[in-house]
Amino acid sequence: MTHHAPHEQEIRAAAAHFGRRRFLTATGAAAALAFTTNLPGTGAFAAEADPRKIAENPFTLGVASGDPQPGSVVLWTRLAPRPYEPGGGGMPNARVAVRWEVAYDERFTRLAGQGRADAHPEFNHSVHIEPTGLAPDRVYYYRFRAGSWISPVGRTRTAPARAARPSALKLAAVSCQAYHDGYFTAYKHLAEEDLDVVFHLGDYLYEYPVDAAGGVRRYTDRTLPAVFNRETVTLEDYRLRYALYKSDPDLQAAHAAHPFVVTWDDHEVENNYASDISEDHLPRDAFLVRRAAAYRAYWENQPLRRPQRPDGADARLYRRVQYGQLAQFDILDTRQYRSDQAYGDGWHAPGPESLDPARTLTGAAQERWLIDGWRQSSARWNVLPQQVTFSERRNATGAGYQLSMDAWDGYAASRDRVLAGAESAGVDNLVVLTGDVHVHYAFDIKKDFKDPGSRTAGVEFVTTSIASGKDGADKPANWATYLAANPHMKFYNGRRGYVTVTLDQDTARGDYRTVPAVTTPGAPVRTAASFVSEAGDPGLKPA
């Protein structure tokens, strides 16, 4: 941790200021974050700036929408005339009035809603609008105004009414977009797809340094400032890193085209952290300050509703999104509440530590919430958007295999409880959506992975990364081994891209979309494989 020295002193000073006993509570962590920023309405920044004095375009980070409901959808933007500039992105240390409009048409001749909101410096001049009274299951257009500046136009879509029975729903699953590993070309193609909603399954940004040339992007037309060439630790670090990522035109295009439902994995804070345990073995109190900063910046930069706003180092990100009677989405958080990885993380043979029945990936409260939600579900499809590989994944044939201790394989009892809960709740059509691993997988979820002939409990679509892992390969070096060692694995591809899943009354169809390169811009997209699972008879078959 020597490379963290300046930040570590700052964090430790903050922790010491609040006292260890007070600090080890949620309120203490919230108070600790106040060393960097206050909440609006506390009187710290009562001043209001005149938006007419904004001399440069403040909408450099685009617009986004998310978490659709039948009568509402979150609208997001952030004012940042100079997004790479520390200390507020070129905005004054004062609140600024922002006007918003929602329309039935792209030219805004028929408005469905409009209003005013304050962009507060305490939230880095981000705004989260939750318009109500919209019609279910229809497309809307939205935009923002600040002074004389008008944002790009975003397109979004509300969810169907709760009692509605839509004939079909098409979603995309995306994850893992390391800026320094390549261009976000997959997002350019995603923006052109006809989709109802996009699920982002984590690793929206990475904490690792990004050099002046943007890593393997190898920029020759720009030089990124030195503020990015360090690991993110402080609130300012995370805010600036979101500015870098959100300035990418392909990411902006995807957000402007579709509503996103987001959840985080590890890199939004730090690689492979577990609950309040740091990968780098920071003291718990110091790590919670870092986690609080990361969670705060995440909320500021995503189209999330008010219940998801962090309280210090805690945030309730798991939540439910309904698409009429066709699909229920239970979005998980498998980072914040998990037991520490068994055997010190990495790949290990399963043993007493990983098989301990007390181990949890979700925490007890989230596990109960999930299974209770399934018991009350009347949806045709129950979909679980979450982060890490759910199905068993052996790295070798025969008895000497190892499993990933960071995935559900390292929390076997947790997986068993979830599958038993799905069975007891009568969930016939379970679909798991997964990110994290920078490859495409298609799995049949088995009741007993040791017995290939056991009942298939559902299917899992694992999406590859947007950029992480650079160009990749159609058949990674371990391709044949993995397919032989895991008979329930129906597909494996190591290129970049995304998955689209089309749900109707009869089938769930997954299309694995890939691009041949991300280290150079402009690659085309193709469908590498397609699979279908039938309602009432789970199991993937080539489409």
Side-chain angles (χ1 to χ4, degrees):
M1 286 295 293
T2 52
H3 60 295
H4 287 174
H7 296 306
E8 199 166 340
Q9 287 174 353
E10 179 181 341
I11 288 168
R12 286 176 187 276
H17 177 70
F18 290 97
R20 184 173 176 82
R21 287 186 63 190
R22 179 181 169 205
F23 195 84
L24 294 181
T25 67
T27 52
L33 189 56
F35 84 93
T36 340
T37 183
N38 293 288
L39 292 172
T42 60
F45 300 120
E48 181 172 4
D50 184 350
R52 293 171 298 182
K53 293 184 177 176
I54 300 175
E56 301 167 76
N57 174 24
F59 297 110
T60 58
L61 304 180
V63 298
S65 69
D67 277 30
Q69 293 178 359
S72 172
V73 65
V74 183
L75 309 178
W76 174 94
T77 194
R78 181 159 83 78
L79 307 182
R82 296 187 292 280
Y84 299 170
E85 186 177 289
M91 288 296 291
N93 194 11
R95 58 193 166 93
V96 175
V98 177
R99 309 276 321 172
W100 58 271
E101 297 174 316
V102 179
Y104 295 104
D105 65 306
E106 209 167 352
R107 297 178 61 192
F108 290 81
T109 59
R110 292 178 58 230
L111 291 184
Q114 60 182 317
R116 185 199 124 134
D118 283 331
H120 291 277
E122 298 93 332
F123 288 129
N124 212 204
H125 291 98
S126 62
V127 291
H128 298 73
I129 308 299
E130 299 184 30
T132 55
L134 303 180
D137 198 19
R138 74 158 295 154
V139 169
Y140 288 95
Y141 298 88
Y142 63 97
R143 66 187 178 187
F144 301 89
R145 297 173 183 263
S148 60
W149 299 97
I150 302 177
S151 76
V153 173
R155 176 187 179 276
T156 191
R157 188 176 193 122
T158 51
R162 285 296 299 273
R165 297 186 178 275
S167 58
L169 158 70
K170 187 175 183 182
L171 64 91
V174 298
S175 76
C176 302
Q177 50 199 52
Y179 186 99
H180 55 280
D181 269 2
Y183 288 90
F184 293 167
T185 309
Y187 273 135
K188 178 180 183 294
H189 298 296
L190 184 90
E192 295 162 1
E193 298 258 13
D194 183 13
L195 302 170
D196 292 281
V197 63
V198 175
F199 288 88
H200 198 295
L201 305 175
D203 297 344
Y204 192 96
L205 56 63
Y206 280 69
E207 75 275 29
Y208 305 135
V210 180
D211 67 21
V216 303
R217 294 186 179 213
R218 298 188 184 90
Y219 288 142
T220 57
D221 62 340
R222 73 198 82 173
T223 301
L224 296 180
V227 294
F228 300 125
N229 202 11
R230 61 175 184 243
E231 185 164 332
T232 54
V233 176
T234 65
L235 181 59
E236 176 111 294
D237 291 338
Y238 287 107
R239 284 172 163 174
L240 286 167
R241 194 62 56 88
Y242 281 105
L244 175 64
Y245 278 59
K246 284 185 162 287
S247 63
D248 183 274
D250 295 331
L251 178 58
Q252 286 193 18
H255 273 301
H258 312 297
F260 273 55
V261 176
V262 300
T263 186
W264 52 41
D265 194 18
D266 52 340
H267 288 287
E268 287 87 354
V269 181
E270 177 201 55
N271 179 57
N272 280 22
Y273 81 94
S275 183
D276 57 3
I277 300 166
S278 158
E279 178 191 41
D280 291 331
H281 307 295
L282 268 180
R284 180 176 179 268
D285 48 7
F287 180 67
L288 282 176
V289 177
R290 181 178 182 178
R291 198 178 90 173
Y295 285 9
R296 174 71 162 258
Y298 184 84
W299 187 82
E300 288 174 349
N301 285 282
Q302 300 291 8
L304 288 165
R305 294 184 181 274
R306 184 169 289 270
Q308 277 63 61
R309 196 171 89 183
D311 178 10
D314 303 296
R316 164 75 183 259
L317 203 61
Y318 64 87
R319 62 205 189 278
R320 191 164 284 126
V321 175
Q322 306 275 1
Y323 270 72
Q325 298 294 298
L326 183 59
Q328 174 173 300
F329 297 95
D330 295 291
I331 299 102
L332 296 191
D333 172 358
T334 63
R335 276 296 149 194
Q336 190 176 178
Y337 315 105
R338 64 160 67 196
S339 310
D340 197 13
Q341 290 92 345
Y343 301 111
D345 207 359
W347 287 72
H348 294 273
E353 189 176 336
S354 65
L355 297 172
D356 181 350
R359 291 178 58 70
T360 179
L361 197 60
T362 61
Q366 184 177 196
E367 185 180 288
R368 280 195 305 271
W369 166 87
L370 173 63
I371 295 169
D372 287 348
W374 280 340
R375 289 194 177 119
Q376 295 162 23
S377 173
S378 56
R380 183 70 160 170
W381 298 94
N382 285 279
V383 186
L384 198 59
Q386 56 91 52
Q387 294 75 10
V388 293
T389 303
F390 187 84
S391 299
E392 186 174 88
R393 184 173 40 129
R394 301 183 179 190
N395 69 351
T397 56
Y401 68 88
Q402 296 179 324
L403 304 171
S404 168
M405 294 297 106
D406 188 61
W408 287 82
D409 277 340
Y411 302 79
S414 203
R415 178 171 60 202
D416 289 346
R417 289 191 299 269
V418 166
L419 287 175
E423 187 173 7
S424 71
V427 170
D428 297 320
N429 301 310
L430 175 64
V431 176
V432 177
L433 304 178
T434 301
D436 181 56
V437 285
H438 312 167
V439 296
H440 280 319
Y441 293 129
F443 288 108
D444 285 351
I445 299 170
K446 306 304 288 186
K447 180 181 171 73
D448 179 3
F449 287 104
K450 294 180 183 62
D451 176 10
S454 72
R455 184 176 69 85
T456 297
V459 297
E460 180 177 9
F461 297 109
V462 180
T463 182
T464 188
S465 58
I466 292 290
S468 306
K470 304 171 189 167
D471 292 338
D474 286 319
K475 293 184 178 179
N478 57 11
W479 181 83
T481 302
Y482 271 35
L483 287 169
N486 302 283
H488 55 284
M489 181 186 286
K490 305 303 179 184
F491 179 64
Y492 176 14
N493 178 286
R495 293 286 184 194
R496 310 284 72 82
Y498 53 92
V499 178
T500 64
V501 178
T502 305
L503 303 173
D504 60 28
Q505 290 298 317
D506 301 318
T507 58
R509 177 192 172 111
D511 292 292
Y512 288 87
R513 306 281 274 161
T514 61
V515 294
V518 293
T519 54
T520 52
V525 70
R526 73 181 186 98
T527 300
S530 300
F531 293 89
V532 169
S533 181
E534 295 175 10
D537 184 20
L540 292 170
K541 306 173 183 69

